[in-house]
Amino acid sequence: MKIARVALDVPLEQAFDFLVPEGLDPARGSLVVVPFGRTAKVGVVVARAARSDVPAERLRELAKVFDDVAPLAARDLELLEFCAAYYQRPLGEVLHASLPPRLRQARRRVIKAQPASAPAPGPFVAPVEATPAQAQAIAQVLEGFERFHPVLLAGITGSGKTEVYLRLIEQALARGRQALYLVPEIGLTPQLESRVRSRFPGVAIVAAHSHLGEGERAVAWLAAHAGRARIVLGTRLAALAPMPELGLIVVDEEHDPSYKQHEGLRYSARDVAVRRAQLAAIPVVLGSATPSLETWANAKQGRYGLAELRERALADAKLPVVRMVDTRADRPIEGLSDALLRALRARIARREQSLVFVNRRGFSPVLFCRSCAWHSTCTRCSANLVLHQRAGEMRCHHCGHRERVPARCPGCGSPDLAPVGQGTQRIEEALGAALPGARIARVDRDSTARKGALADVLALVRDERLDILVGTQMLAKGHDYPRLTLVGVVDSDCALYSVDFRASERLFSLLTQVAGRAGRAREPGEVLIQTDFPAHPLYAAVAAHDYAAFADASLEERRLARFPPFAHLAMLRAESKHAGEALAFLRAAARLAQGLDGKVEIFDPVPAPLERKAGFERAQLLVRAASRGALQPFLRAWKAGLDEKGGRRVRWSLDVDPQEA
Ligand code: ADP
Ligand code: ZN
Ligand code: ZN
């Protein structure tokens, strides 16, 4: 009897046994189709056996072995197994998450192998000579090319980190290895993709991100897996792409929150990349101008190498001058202070460009009644509806609910309704009114919903047919515009006093990044931050371009509060249609946790920051441990207990290393 043990995408930990029919011989790592209930499912063979605990008459036969996909290499399968164990998810689900949609289908056509990219000898960009700092960083990584060697590349914006990555990738290719290049959001960096392609003409490069069509994604995945693609450039999902000859991993903007997935397999692509480098015994380069505090601490304590680029690569590109506008004295009208308007006018007169940055996270215009204080709230969420003036609608940014803007207050009938808070649209309108004749464009999720819309706006900036760009964090990274010399930050104070323990880290990094947009070339840049707290140490550190001072002070706070990286967290989240049930479930879960013999601290269950979402009541329970070694076995036992408990009326999930707590 030949048995194949197959991991399937079902909410159960165990693998399932199937009889292997005559003539088939799937190896460990093979993708197969098996009957499951009345359907067929794609799974991966995790083991072979000569007998099964399942009685022979109940064993079903394996239906198919895909032969257009070679079995996953041992190391690539181990990576998936690590993710399953670490994030407490079934292996089949991890496999499912790692496969492009087309390859998850049990009934699909054979996919023909295609060359990974037309290896046309494109315009070769001759590499510039490395600066001494770049050369040193490169040498530091090369020192450990044949072993696990994590290096933090801490380099200010424009210091030439990308150039360092490209040279290291060149080294990996020269050694006959594949390279994995991860970026937070590929949609925003078409410039990068063409930079990589023109740097390596004739090298097979694939992009892997969710904007690709299903066919393209399958082809890219297969090319990476077969080793035809030598460079994989992708977003977090690419962290799991199989690459049998992987020799180098680059994680650009390693601090970026979008490396963390917030549903299903809640993995951090950055952390998985480091683990992957360890399994493969290769270097991993984590680059950022504002490293995450976890990575900074690892470098400080010598667990990671540290290479620093302290100056901009282009000799005459200077860091921008950052100033505070004290909004207690210079009161903004419609969000705009006098100082900012004056600076904008001066730029227009000099035919230079400006960026007005609206930190929309947590601050959007809400319709408010001046007579009775009624304001627009979502009926399904504990959140305010956000006013979208142009569409004449109010929208919930959490569940998508929409309503027409009422003509009169639903509470008291007064017509005196007005928006409070600044959104990008309101700022755009206020700028238009204050600066007649200025050419203004807005970039946010709404204005860029149409495919190509963002590229169109950015082309306007590049062609200097625009004076002012108004936008959200979508504008913070990646783009290089030589004529852009002013950045105005309209409102970021709310993030100073957020309950989220990462809020100030995020704010520092966001401000540093938007500031980095100013004065990338010859013109010196200026950044104006409107604030009620001009003396706040976080703003002072941004103005001094002193990441290390900010990071060291923040780490000290984290140490005192025993938060990451000085502790390890997991969050149990629950939601239910009925008030109280989610909290009751978490109270039972807390009792169960206390009964387990673990060295973990169990917090009290509390309502989630967004207490109602899409009609569900939500609550959360945090657990904390001094080390991963203490947390992991506890989580395994706890999860097993919770699985047993079930509770059909409550949906729950476990988030290991949550981003918010
Ligand atoms: P980062 O990734 O750190 O933001 P980039 O690699 O994009 O920085 O480099 C910023 C600018 O400096 C780019 O215009 C790049 O072409 C240029 N640059 C990078 N390295 C060098 C170098 N060694 N010599 C000259 N110019 C360089
Ligand atoms: Zn009213
Ligand atoms: Zn809602």
Side-chain angles (χ1 to χ4, degrees):
M1 197 158 55
K2 272 199 294 189
I3 302 292
R5 209 148 276 166
V6 179
L8 293 173
D9 180 30
V10 291
L12 289 170
E13 297 291 341
Q14 95 256 21
F16 298 82
D17 285 359
F18 291 90
L19 266 176
V20 179
E22 278 305 310
L24 290 184
D25 192 23
R28 174 171 145 88
S30 295
L31 296 190
V32 296
V33 177
V34 296
F36 196 80
R38 288 192 212 172
T39 60
K41 273 187 175 289
V42 173
V44 65
V45 175
V46 291
R48 299 282 307 267
R51 51 174 301 279
S52 171
D53 292 338
V54 180
E57 66 279 9
R58 286 185 44 209
L59 278 173
R60 299 177 76 181
E61 270 194 359
L62 193 118
K64 182 185 171 108
V65 180
F66 284 115
D67 40 20
D68 54 352
V69 186
L72 294 176
R75 210 180 274 143
D76 289 329
L77 190 52
E78 270 167 41
L79 179 70
L80 303 184
E81 286 169 334
F82 160 77
C83 290
Y86 187 82
Y87 293 107
Q88 310 291 333
R89 307 297 303 191
L91 177 61
E93 187 196 87
V94 177
L95 171 79
H96 191 85
S98 77
L99 285 178
R102 181 136 316 158
L103 295 176
R104 296 172 195 159
Q105 293 163 7
R107 308 172 56 136
R108 62 166 175 87
R109 261 181 275 155
V110 171
I111 300 170
K112 277 199 228 78
Q114 286 175 29
S117 71
F124 178 66
V125 181
V128 288
E129 197 172 333
T131 63
Q134 284 173 327
Q136 207 187 336
I138 292 162
Q140 201 176 332
V141 178
L142 288 180
E143 195 176 284
F145 227 69
E146 303 296 331
R147 60 177 158 90
F148 173 52
H149 183 37
V151 176
L152 166 61
L153 179 62
I156 61 171
T157 53
S159 61
K161 295 184 290 297
T162 310
E163 187 55 40
V164 172
Y165 307 147
L166 294 175
R167 278 165 196 259
L168 290 169
I169 289 171
E170 195 182 339
Q171 293 290 330
L173 300 181
R175 288 163 161 81
R177 309 291 288 269
Q178 293 172 289
L180 174 61
Y181 187 167
L182 297 177
V183 293
E185 282 162 80
I186 217 156
L188 300 181
T189 49
Q191 287 175 338
L192 175 66
E193 195 178 331
S194 60
R195 189 167 164 187
V196 177
R197 286 191 190 279
S198 56
R199 183 60 176 274
F200 298 105
V203 173
I205 299 168
V206 294
H209 52 83
S210 53
H211 293 255
L212 294 176
E214 282 198 5
E216 290 172 293
R217 268 185 70 183
V219 166
W221 188 94
L222 287 169
H225 176 41
R228 285 192 303 277
R230 304 314 292 174
I231 303 175
V232 174
L233 176 62
T235 50
R236 68 167 179 255
L237 59 91
L240 296 171
M243 297 177 71
E245 294 163 15
L246 188 62
L248 170 72
I249 307 178
V250 168
V251 185
D252 188 25
E253 310 287 7
E254 66 84 31
H255 66 279
D256 199 290
S258 52
Y259 280 123
K260 172 84 177 180
Q261 171 138 320
H262 291 289
E263 65 220 19
L265 175 66
R266 292 171 168 78
Y267 68 110
S268 151
R270 193 254 335 266
D271 295 351
V272 166
V274 172
R275 178 67 192 180
R276 185 171 189 177
Q278 193 173 29
L279 286 171
I282 58 170
V284 54
V285 179
L286 306 173
S288 177
T290 55
S292 65
L293 292 177
E294 281 87 345
T295 300
W296 181 249
N298 277 325
K300 282 276 164 173
Q301 291 157 12
R303 278 191 295 273
Y304 293 0
L306 174 62
E308 291 185 88
L309 303 177
R310 296 165 187 272
E311 270 158 40
R312 288 194 155 180
L314 295 168
D316 42 7
K318 293 280 168 304
L319 282 172
V321 177
V322 180
R323 291 199 186 89
M324 306 304 140
V325 174
D326 185 344
T327 41
R328 293 165 307 177
D330 184 350
R331 296 298 295 262
I333 298 169
E334 291 286 310
L336 302 169
S337 66
D338 200 42
L340 179 57
L341 282 173
R342 263 186 284 120
L344 288 166
R345 280 194 199 100
R347 291 320 183 286
I348 295 172
R350 295 208 296 264
R351 321 197 98 253
E352 293 171 10
Q353 297 173 317
S354 307
L355 168 66
V356 174
F357 177 71
V358 184
N359 188 16
R360 199 164 61 162
R361 277 205 182 126
F363 209 69
S364 312
V366 167
L367 202 62
F368 178 82
C369 171
R370 285 198 239 254
S371 309
C372 76
W374 169 91
H375 62 279
S376 53
T377 52
C378 179
T379 49
R380 309 169 67 210
C381 306
S382 51
N384 292 326
L385 292 177
V386 174
L387 184 65
H388 290 248
Q389 198 103 52
R390 220 161 285 167
E393 277 185 348
M394 301 184 297
R395 296 184 196 154
C396 174
H397 285 194
H398 299 284
C399 74
H401 172 77
R402 298 167 171 220
E403 277 177 31
R404 302 294 310 165
V405 171
R408 291 174 173 278
C409 170
C412 72
S414 158
D416 195 9
L417 294 174
V420 286
Q422 272 90 41
T424 41
Q425 280 193 12
R426 261 190 100 195
I427 293 288
E428 184 191 12
E429 275 155 25
L431 284 167
L435 306 167
R439 297 165 300 174
I440 305 172
R442 173 170 59 94
V443 168
D444 58 25
R445 207 157 284 152
D446 297 318
S447 77
T448 56
R450 178 178 59 80
K451 209 178 169 191
L454 178 61
D456 290 351
V457 176
L458 297 178
L460 287 180
V461 186
R462 201 179 42 236
D463 301 344
E464 295 174 30
R465 285 190 287 144
L466 207 61
D467 301 308
I468 303 175
L469 200 52
V470 181
T472 56
Q473 51 268 19
M474 287 180 84
L475 287 174
K477 54 197 153 204
H479 315 287
D480 249 334
Y481 299 107
R483 304 276 314 164
L484 201 152
T485 61
L486 173 70
V487 171
V489 177
V490 164
D491 194 316
S492 50
D493 283 350
C494 49
L496 290 176
Y497 299 101
S498 165
V499 288
D500 176 7
F501 76 97
R502 280 186 222 270
S504 63
E505 179 182 351
R506 295 259 163 85
L507 179 60
F508 183 89
S509 128
L510 203 52
L511 291 177
T512 301
Q513 282 194 344
V514 282
R517 297 306 114 211
R520 298 275 284 189
R522 235 133 275 140
E523 331 283 344
E526 184 181 17
V527 180
L528 294 178
I529 299 177
Q530 298 190 155
T531 173
D532 279 352
F533 310 96
H536 196 284
L538 187 147
Y539 291 139
V542 172
H545 304 288
D546 195 348
Y547 167 80
F550 167 77
D552 293 340
S554 306
L555 276 177
E556 184 54 20
E557 284 171 22
R558 295 270 184 97
R559 195 179 62 78
L560 292 172
R562 287 192 297 127
F563 264 80
F566 300 96
H568 293 269
L569 305 176
M571 182 82 90
L572 181 63
R573 296 198 178 83
E575 57 180 39
S576 166
K577 290 242 180 224
H578 305 278
E581 276 183 0
L583 270 173
F585 170 82
L586 292 183
R587 273 186 221 110
R591 279 194 299 277
L592 177 67
Q594 260 125 20
L596 295 169
D597 180 33
K599 294 190 190 65
V600 294
E601 198 180 335
I602 320 287
F603 284 55
D604 287 332
V606 291
L610 187 68
E611 201 175 334
R612 270 172 72 76
K613 183 174 175 184
F616 279 84
E617 302 284 333
R618 306 156 81 237
Q620 61 190 37
L621 166 59
L622 190 67
V623 298
R624 170 161 75 182
S627 69
R628 289 206 165 95
L631 189 57
Q632 282 287 323
F634 162 79
L635 290 178
R636 215 164 303 130
W638 198 30
K639 167 102 187 324
L642 292 170
D643 278 335
E644 224 163 83
K645 249 191 174 44
R648 231 169 303 140
R649 289 151 70 91
V650 176
R651 291 201 302 217
W652 58 271
S653 62
L654 197 54
D655 187 355
V656 182
D657 304 330
Q659 282 292 298
E660 286 103 29

